[in-house]
Amino acid sequence: MADATVLPEGRNVRLRIDSDGWIKRAFMGVIALYLVVALALPLYAMLSKSFVTYSFDLTRYEFQVSDESGAVWGDPVTAAELNDRLGEFAPDDLRSSSDGRLSVTDLFPDFSFRSPVMYRIRGTTDNAPYLVGLDLQNSTDWRELDSNTFRRVNLRPVADTGLQNYQEYFSNPALFSSIENSLYIASISTVLTVLFAFGFAYAINRSCMPLKGAFRLIAMMPILVPSLLPGIALIYMFGNQGFLKPLLFGQSIYGPLGIVIGSVFFTFPHALIIISTALSISDQRQYEAAESLRASKWRTFWTVTIPGARYGLISAAFVTFTLVITDFGLPKVIGGQYNVLAIDIYKQVIGQQNFEMGAVVSVVLLIPAIVAFVIDRQVQKKQVSLLSARSVPYEPKPNRRFDMAMLAWCTIMGIFIAGIIAVCQFAALINYWPYDLSFSLRNYDFNKMDGGGWGAYWNSLELAALTAVIGTAIIFVGAYMVEKIDGFKTGRAAFQFLAMLPMAIPGMVLGLAYIFFFNNPANPLNAIYGTMAILVVSTVTHFYTVGHLTALTALKQIDAEFEPVATSLRQPFWRLFARVTVPVCLPAILDISIYMFVNAMTTVSAVVFLYSTHTALASVAVLNMDDAGDIAPAAAMGMMIFYTNATARVLHAFASRSILRRTQAWRVR
């Protein structure tokens, strides 16, 4: 047999990138750059700031003191040598924040501002800052001062890097206890929320009880209000003058009890959506098999229902845990003296102006949030499809006893949720609790209250509208580019990482990171700090991931053959995008827009560090009015947010029905 002919090696064939491919890569690069600037770089700035320490370096300063005639000067002496003689400052006393000051007169025990003695001061290095009154000096030249002026000299700290901030944090029992408190509150709230939401979802999906639609609407109400609102309602119900205070039997609502109850309220719909989705995809055949094997309902529940919903339960647990441990508004309103990590960040930044320690607490808060996020993503990767082409959707059978029990449970949860909203509405309408219960609209006269007045409400509307329009456009275009681009696996993977990262970043951490990054005069983007633009950027970035996942889900439903067909017909991708992709994905686009709008109206933590006097927001106004003691007006502003979001939801539903009737007719056979 003749030897087989060996062909010479040819060149590796590489896919040629056409103009559409380059344009798609350019779009993806621009949005990736946005995520780098709006997320990665601020987080890096915050992480770097957490390692920056400030202390007074006494070796950098030198003094000379004259006699009473002012003509004869003594030998130069450093501040460190003076401190060694006197023992005035211990090493811990020399630690400081970036705004610290150290009076030099403490190093001169005989100092008197009426004395004719003259003083000289200079730096021994190029970086030796000190203040003379309000004038910052930094020079190695001697500066001569009289006694009256010398008493106004203060040394300024110098920056260094190290782990001292972390050592100080973990050695401070008061600060370290916040970690335990946060984990405790988040764990208790997660267990209760998942249990309550599972019972509610089980009733909706596995019973034939009446009024399911009404209960679904009630269960979604907490999404429409900021997390501060349940705290205000609980104060009216169980506070020092609450009408239900005797039910606590001497316990205080201010602290862990109030935080847990409020956390269950505002996380309930998030857990319900996830668990309800898991329960709705069950296969009827599994239950029929269990029944044919004469398994009891209890055993069927533990061997069929729970295993089928386990991934939903785990995902709901981690989502709830993350929401609770990163929440700021609720503990601020009703937490009392019970410190948690989010409150520590606020106190360090707003109360003490200690930005470095605020960065440390932010990093500590970031750890459990990222761990929960990573575990949740890993669990979702292991989830397999429970429905196949042969699956039979589960249909519950009427059982009067069971249905009435489920109705009773949903009624209890409905009263709990609607009751919180109703109490806030009641508080917003009465004149003066608990002395004058007559109804009035005086609490809606926000211009007479602290917090920004009606201007804050209109600012929130502007922010929500801009976030809905700009955010939806950025998110959907980015998802389209990463899903429909050919090849470029490395770039797509990097983009996906950036797109998923915001879900793991707490709002307060992102807001503080923006301070460090955008409030830097050397940053070309410093101009947007304190404007509406930075609020839009922060909000879009904070809620980017959920919109991105929604868009990807819709885009994966479109056949991949559309792009090659359009290319063969010499049609540019943007025409396919406008005429096919957008109309097909319009339901998802509308869902993303309303999601961004509602969250922009209710967010507090992501913007509490970033607003200015001209860009105060309604959600922040609730916080500020509560701080000022105007609790009823705070409830009124919270209800304005609720009215707005509810109206937006209704308009969204009507607009969606009208638009989708025209654009989605192809779905109906």
Side-chain angles (χ1 to χ4, degrees):
M1 179 181 292
D3 294 338
T5 303
V6 179
L7 297 176
E9 292 186 4
R11 294 182 301 174
N12 293 329
V13 179
R14 298 182 61 183
L15 182 65
R16 182 180 177 183
I17 302 174
D18 59 7
S19 59
D20 283 356
W22 285 114
I23 295 173
K24 289 179 183 179
R25 282 166 168 75
F27 270 108
M28 191 174 74
V30 169
I31 298 176
L33 179 62
Y34 161 79
L35 290 173
V36 169
V37 173
L39 183 65
L41 293 181
L43 289 177
Y44 175 77
M46 186 200 70
L47 183 62
S48 301
K49 195 72 173 179
S50 70
F51 292 101
V52 175
T53 61
Y54 288 90
S55 62
F56 297 102
D57 187 355
L58 301 184
T59 62
R60 296 173 182 250
Y61 305 94
E62 203 169 38
F63 301 96
Q64 276 188 299
V65 184
S66 74
D67 59 10
E68 292 190 355
S69 67
V72 180
W73 293 89
D75 295 331
V77 59
T78 65
E81 293 171 343
L82 292 173
N83 189 54
D84 290 341
R85 296 176 194 170
L86 300 173
E88 181 69 23
F89 301 112
D92 288 343
D93 298 331
L94 297 178
R95 293 180 182 175
S96 177
S97 64
S98 59
D99 197 41
R101 289 168 172 79
L102 187 72
S103 175
V104 298
T105 57
D106 294 334
L107 297 172
F108 298 90
D110 298 330
F111 174 80
S112 171
F113 71 92
R114 295 187 179 89
S115 170
V117 173
M118 301 291 290
Y119 295 85
R120 287 177 178 169
I121 180 174
R122 72 170 181 179
T124 59
T125 66
D126 292 333
N127 185 21
Y130 62 93
L131 291 172
V132 180
L134 297 177
D135 296 329
L136 181 64
Q137 306 292 323
N138 195 348
S139 173
T140 56
D141 297 329
W142 285 107
R143 176 158 184 178
E144 189 171 319
L145 306 168
D146 58 42
S147 296
N148 190 43
T149 305
F150 189 70
R151 67 172 176 169
R152 300 167 58 208
V153 174
N154 289 279
L155 305 185
R156 298 283 280 123
V158 292
D160 198 0
T161 57
L163 297 173
Q164 290 90 330
N165 290 332
Y166 289 92
Q167 293 171 353
E168 181 180 347
Y169 176 82
F170 288 107
S171 63
N172 188 326
L175 291 175
F176 186 70
S177 66
S178 297
I179 301 177
E180 298 176 353
N181 293 344
S182 294
L183 293 174
Y184 173 76
I185 290 294
S187 300
I188 297 295
S189 300
T190 298
V191 172
L192 294 177
T193 302
V194 171
L195 286 175
F196 294 164
F198 179 82
F200 200 97
Y202 195 81
I204 295 293
N205 291 277
R206 300 301 172 87
S207 75
C208 295
M209 71 174 194
L211 303 174
K212 287 185 179 181
F215 283 120
R216 282 194 183 97
L217 288 176
I218 293 174
M220 293 299 109
M221 290 171 68
I223 290 180
L224 306 180
V225 299
S227 62
L228 303 89
L229 209 59
I232 294 174
L234 291 174
I235 291 174
Y236 276 91
M237 296 167 68
F238 303 105
N240 294 331
Q241 295 179 319
F243 59 90
L244 295 179
K245 184 181 179 182
L247 296 181
L248 293 183
F249 300 103
Q251 297 296 317
S252 174
I253 197 67
Y254 299 99
L257 180 60
I259 299 175
V260 169
I261 296 174
S263 297
V264 170
F265 172 84
F266 85 85
T267 59
F268 182 82
H270 300 275
L272 176 64
I273 291 171
I274 298 171
I275 297 173
S276 184
T277 301
L279 289 174
S280 66
I281 60 175
S282 298
D283 191 342
Q284 175 77 31
R285 296 175 304 166
Q286 295 178 338
Y287 291 88
E288 293 173 350
E291 186 176 354
S292 66
L293 293 173
R294 298 183 180 181
S296 64
K297 293 185 180 299
W298 184 249
R299 186 173 183 183
T300 302
F301 176 80
W302 287 106
T303 57
V304 179
T305 303
I306 294 299
R310 65 184 183 276
Y311 292 113
L313 290 170
I314 294 171
S315 183
F318 282 112
V319 167
T320 303
F321 181 88
T322 303
L323 288 172
V324 175
I325 202 171
T326 60
D327 181 56
F328 159 74
L330 183 62
K332 183 69 175 66
V333 171
I334 204 169
Q337 301 300 314
Y338 193 81
N339 285 340
V340 293
L341 287 170
I343 295 297
D344 277 351
I345 297 175
Y346 185 79
K347 287 181 177 179
Q348 293 293 333
V349 174
I350 301 298
Q352 303 180 28
Q353 297 290 300
N354 191 344
F355 291 92
E356 293 74 28
M357 191 57 69
V360 170
V361 184
S362 296
V363 172
V364 174
L365 178 59
L366 200 57
I367 294 173
I370 290 180
V371 170
F373 171 75
V374 170
I375 295 176
D376 179 44
R377 300 307 300 175
Q378 292 300 319
V379 168
Q380 290 187 20
K381 287 181 180 179
K382 294 180 180 179
Q383 185 172 1
V384 295
S385 176
L386 298 178
L387 292 181
S388 64
R390 297 179 180 179
S391 297
V392 179
Y394 181 85
E395 294 183 4
K397 299 176 182 178
N399 183 324
R400 180 173 176 79
R401 192 173 176 182
F402 175 73
D403 292 344
M404 289 301 101
M406 293 294 96
L407 179 62
W409 174 248
C410 288
T411 302
I412 292 172
M413 293 305 302
I415 292 173
F416 167 67
I417 294 171
I420 293 286
I421 302 294
V423 168
C424 288
Q425 181 60 82
F426 177 72
L429 291 176
I430 59 173
N431 266 309
Y432 189 64
W433 174 268
Y435 307 106
D436 184 359
L437 302 183
S438 60
F439 291 118
S440 169
L441 295 177
R442 62 187 293 269
N443 292 323
Y444 287 88
D445 192 0
F446 301 126
N447 290 330
K448 294 182 179 179
M449 315 291 176
D450 291 330
W454 277 103
Y457 174 74
W458 299 118
N459 285 340
S460 281
L461 277 181
E462 181 183 355
L463 171 65
L466 290 173
T467 300
V469 174
I470 298 173
T472 303
I474 293 174
I475 291 169
F476 188 77
V477 170
Y480 176 81
M481 298 307 165
V482 76
E483 177 65 22
K484 298 300 181 179
I485 204 169
D486 294 323
F488 201 39
K489 291 183 179 180
T490 303
R492 292 166 64 190
F495 187 95
Q496 282 286 73
F497 172 77
L498 289 172
M500 298 302 296
L501 189 58
M503 184 176 281
I505 308 301
M508 292 204 73
V509 175
L510 186 64
L512 185 58
Y514 273 37
I515 293 178
F516 296 136
F517 183 70
F518 289 102
N519 194 26
N520 182 357
N523 188 342
L525 298 174
N526 175 253
I528 73 170
Y529 189 79
T531 67
M532 182 62 70
I534 195 171
L535 297 179
V536 173
V537 171
S538 171
T539 309
V540 170
T541 305
H542 184 42
F543 299 107
Y544 190 98
T545 302
V546 173
H548 178 75
L549 292 174
T550 303
L552 282 182
T553 302
L555 289 165
K556 288 180 183 296
Q557 296 175 358
I558 301 178
D559 198 319
E561 296 299 321
F562 278 104
E563 281 72 20
V565 170
T567 302
S568 65
L569 295 175
R570 298 184 182 277
Q571 296 297 311
F573 85 94
W574 54 264
R575 186 169 295 169
L576 174 69
F577 178 80
R579 294 186 178 181
V580 177
T581 306
V582 170
V584 170
C585 297
L586 199 56
I589 293 173
L590 293 174
D591 288 342
I592 295 170
S593 65
I594 192 64
Y595 171 81
M596 300 299 286
F597 183 94
V598 169
N599 280 283
M601 287 294 299
T602 59
T603 185
V604 178
S605 58
V607 296
V608 70
F609 294 142
L610 302 176
Y611 72 97
S612 65
T613 54
H614 303 294
T615 58
L617 301 173
S619 56
V620 179
V622 176
L623 175 68
N624 292 335
M625 285 189 282
D626 178 76
D627 273 348
D630 297 325
I631 302 179
M637 182 65 86
M639 292 308 299
M640 286 300 303
I641 296 175
F642 174 74
Y643 307 149
T644 304
N645 284 336
T647 303
R649 282 282 188 180
V650 172
L651 293 176
H652 168 262
F654 281 111
S656 297
R657 184 173 302 177
S658 175
I659 295 172
L660 298 182
R661 188 181 295 116
R662 297 195 303 269
T663 62
Q664 305 297 306
W666 61 273
R667 295 180 182 267
V668 181
R669 293 182 179 179

